[in-house]
Amino acid sequence: MRITMVGSGYVGLVSGACFADFGHDVICVDKDAAKIDALLAGRMPIYEPGLDALVASNVAAGRLAFSTDLAASVRGADAVFIAVGTPSRRGDGHADLSYVHAAAEEIAGAIDGFTVIVDKSTVPVGTGDEVERIIRDANPAAEFAVVSNPEFLREGAAIDDFKRPDRVVIGSDDPRALEVMRAIYRPLAIGRSPIIEMSRRAAELTKYAGNAFLATKITFINEIADLCEKVGADVQDVARGIGLDNRIGAKFLHAGPGYGGSCFPKDTLALLKTAQDCEAPQRIVEAVVAVNDQRKRAMGRKIITAMGGDVRDKTIAILGLTFKPNTDDMRDSPAISIIQTLQDAGASVRAYDPEGIEQAKKVLDDVTYCEGAYQAVDGADAVAIVTEWNQFRALDLKRIKALLKGDVLVDLRNIYARADVEAIGLRYTAVGR
Ligand code: NAD
């Protein structure tokens, strides 16, 4: 199959490289010339484990190419995937579809023979209808079908998720389009990943319902963690106790500083907007969004409380900035609200993250960035672990104690055992324990 990927960000680039690895001919297009220049020079514009090697081997095999020329890349393609961003629209929280609509417009003029237009971006119900209308208006002679194929990969484990997905969702009732989609995903069908077909609208909603459910699970255990702190229970015991129930499942039951990232915050909000427009309010998701928003700053206050309630002129070392490990993505990371809360209270912040510092510089002011965890801790009054990068799981606590001016360790990811930390003479604060 000849595949064109419009948008070469986290989703477009990973999907494009994996499709090429399946044996398809793929061109990844982006309007950001710097991104394409980097890819042409063999440099990855994002951090994703294993991506550089996957891209390099498929470029070398002649199956993966990059371009800024959308029209030339679309001509002759069997399928054109739209994988552009759908951020929250400023002001109202609706999904901003301007990039999707602009991409559809540009694709329309270049369609050449029957082409499947596949929406991989996360888009509200009915967007497929709108994309179809845009293309038909722009190019009435075009032969095409619009399919929804939402993406479920997780940053940090994106390649494995793409190649071994829990399921692939294809939304279409067009037989010709379904045939193309089945051919594209055939390598996964051989690997026995379920490929489920449904209406376009059901596929669009499946993505939002999935993310809203996962956000709910995280928020649920976070509130249970708050209760654990009041009643003297350990949330990790409770999470294990419920997670072993197959009906519940153990994943997404790790109490922490609240969900962030490029998807859950914006997708839960967009779902609420769709629900309001359709007069089918989603009260549970409304509560999840409100509780999670409050939680991020509350975690900043938790650090302040651990330090005795006053952090004016104190220095706090923050370990981990990205919303989760193994990515450089800072979008809606809890670290942003936490650091701003500490700064508002008069503290100075020193921070270290293995991959996220360049992105963090774009969204945070007045932070001293350090080259390693121990450099960040050196001379600080307290240290807070915000993201559970592997390298923070086995810190030399004695060295931390020796470098710290103060004696407070706040572990917002529940990585350490209280007894180990306290045995060294540090005061330990965790979440729900
Ligand atoms: P991203 O911002 O990393 O990448 C989007 C890319 O599209 C950018 O490089 C941008 O320059 C490019 N672009 C925008 N308009 C274009 C156009 N007209 N022509 C060519 N390129 C264009 O975004 P992302 O994180 O890859 O997310 C893309 C979509 O996938 C979103 O809808 C998101 O919600 C969804 N999604 C993301 C993830 C994730 O983990 N990041 C997971 C599942 C789904």
Side-chain angles (χ1 to χ4, degrees):
M1 287 278 146
R2 269 207 55 192
I3 294 174
T4 303
M5 195 60 68
V6 177
S8 305
Y10 288 88
V11 166
L13 185 54
V14 170
S15 309
C18 289
F19 280 143
D21 212 44
F22 292 168
H24 301 304
D25 278 323
V26 180
I27 302 184
C28 287
V29 178
D30 208 288
K31 63 176 184 183
D32 181 344
K35 225 171 232 189
I36 295 301
D37 285 346
L39 286 163
L40 288 170
R43 278 180 281 115
M44 295 302 107
I46 55 166
Y47 174 72
E48 180 63 42
L51 187 60
D52 41 2
L54 187 74
V55 166
S57 64
N58 282 285
V59 168
R63 290 188 299 259
L64 181 59
F66 305 103
S67 174
T68 50
D69 188 343
L70 185 142
S73 307
V74 164
R75 246 171 259 127
D78 296 297
V80 179
F81 284 74
I82 299 176
V84 300
T86 49
S88 273
R89 198 162 67 190
R90 247 174 231 282
D92 67 5
H94 270 285
D96 177 353
L97 294 175
S98 55
Y99 302 101
V100 172
H101 292 168
E105 192 106 25
E106 287 178 70
I107 292 165
I111 289 177
D112 172 16
F114 179 72
T115 309
V116 183
I117 312 301
V118 190
D119 195 351
K120 202 166 234 339
S121 296
T122 301
V123 292
V125 176
T127 303
D129 304 358
E130 185 62 14
V131 166
E132 193 171 304
R133 191 191 59 72
I134 289 171
I135 296 176
R136 201 171 299 293
D137 284 356
N139 183 355
E143 259 194 283
F144 69 100
V146 177
V147 171
S148 166
N149 171 219
E151 183 50 56
F152 300 99
L153 63 77
R154 296 163 301 164
E155 287 174 19
I159 293 170
D160 204 49
D161 281 352
F162 196 91
K163 289 189 165 182
R164 274 171 284 277
D166 290 340
R167 79 303 203 189
V168 172
V169 169
I170 296 174
S172 172
D173 52 13
D174 183 300
R176 272 210 288 179
L178 285 171
E179 218 167 285
V180 170
M181 294 304 288
R182 287 177 200 139
I184 288 173
Y185 280 107
R186 187 159 298 132
L188 290 182
I190 295 164
R192 294 180 193 277
S193 290
I195 296 177
I196 52 178
E197 296 173 4
M198 57 180 77
S199 73
R200 197 161 66 195
R201 285 179 168 243
E204 289 169 336
L205 188 53
T206 296
K207 175 66 191 174
Y208 282 100
N211 273 357
F213 191 86
L214 294 172
T216 302
K217 215 173 162 188
I218 294 171
T219 307
F220 175 82
I221 201 66
N222 282 341
E223 283 203 311
I224 293 290
D226 293 345
L227 182 57
C228 285
E229 288 180 15
K230 301 283 183 199
V231 301
D234 186 329
V235 71
Q236 289 182 309
D237 293 337
V238 178
R240 189 165 149 75
I242 62 172
L244 285 170
D245 184 329
N246 282 332
R247 294 168 301 177
I248 296 173
K251 289 183 179 162
F252 280 73
L253 286 181
H254 300 288
Y259 62 78
S262 62
C263 292
F264 288 0
K266 77 171 176 66
D267 292 347
T268 44
L269 269 187
L271 176 64
L272 292 183
K273 291 296 163 188
T274 301
Q276 279 167 12
D277 289 351
C278 300
E279 295 185 17
Q282 304 290 303
R283 302 254 187 265
I284 295 171
V285 184
E286 280 172 20
V288 165
V289 169
V291 168
N292 193 69
D293 277 350
Q294 286 161 12
R295 187 168 189 84
K296 296 183 191 173
R297 285 191 84 89
M299 290 298 116
R301 291 195 296 276
K302 189 182 188 77
I303 298 170
I304 295 171
T305 304
M307 295 178 70
D310 184 2
V311 294
R312 244 170 308 158
D313 303 323
K314 296 274 168 66
T315 301
I316 299 161
I318 297 290
L319 301 187
L321 294 166
T322 50
F323 77 100
K324 65 170 173 182
N326 297 324
T327 180
D328 59 348
D329 201 335
M330 279 296 296
R331 288 178 280 187
D332 269 313
S333 172
I336 300 170
S337 302
I338 291 170
I339 288 174
Q340 285 166 348
T341 304
L342 298 174
Q343 290 174 328
D344 290 349
S348 304
V349 170
R350 296 164 62 79
Y352 169 67
D353 186 280
E355 295 292 340
I357 289 177
E358 286 317 306
Q359 296 299 326
K361 284 179 181 167
K362 297 177 188 164
V363 287
L364 284 164
D365 295 323
D366 299 325
V367 172
T368 304
Y369 293 101
C370 303
E371 288 188 348
Y374 299 107
Q375 286 90 333
V377 169
D378 194 2
D381 295 283
V383 53
I385 299 170
V386 178
T387 314
E388 69 279 34
W389 284 89
N390 269 342
Q391 58 180 268
F392 303 150
R393 289 178 186 274
L395 290 168
D396 179 347
L397 293 176
K398 282 192 186 139
R399 191 170 165 201
I400 296 275
K401 171 79 169 73
L403 288 169
L404 270 181
K405 196 160 75 188
D407 62 354
V408 173
L409 190 159
V410 181
D411 178 3
L412 295 181
R413 297 294 180 172
N414 288 341
I415 294 174
Y416 286 95
R418 175 179 298 280
D420 295 348
V421 179
E422 290 181 345
I424 286 169
L426 289 171
R427 286 189 288 142
Y428 183 66
T429 300
V431 177
R433 293 155 74 203

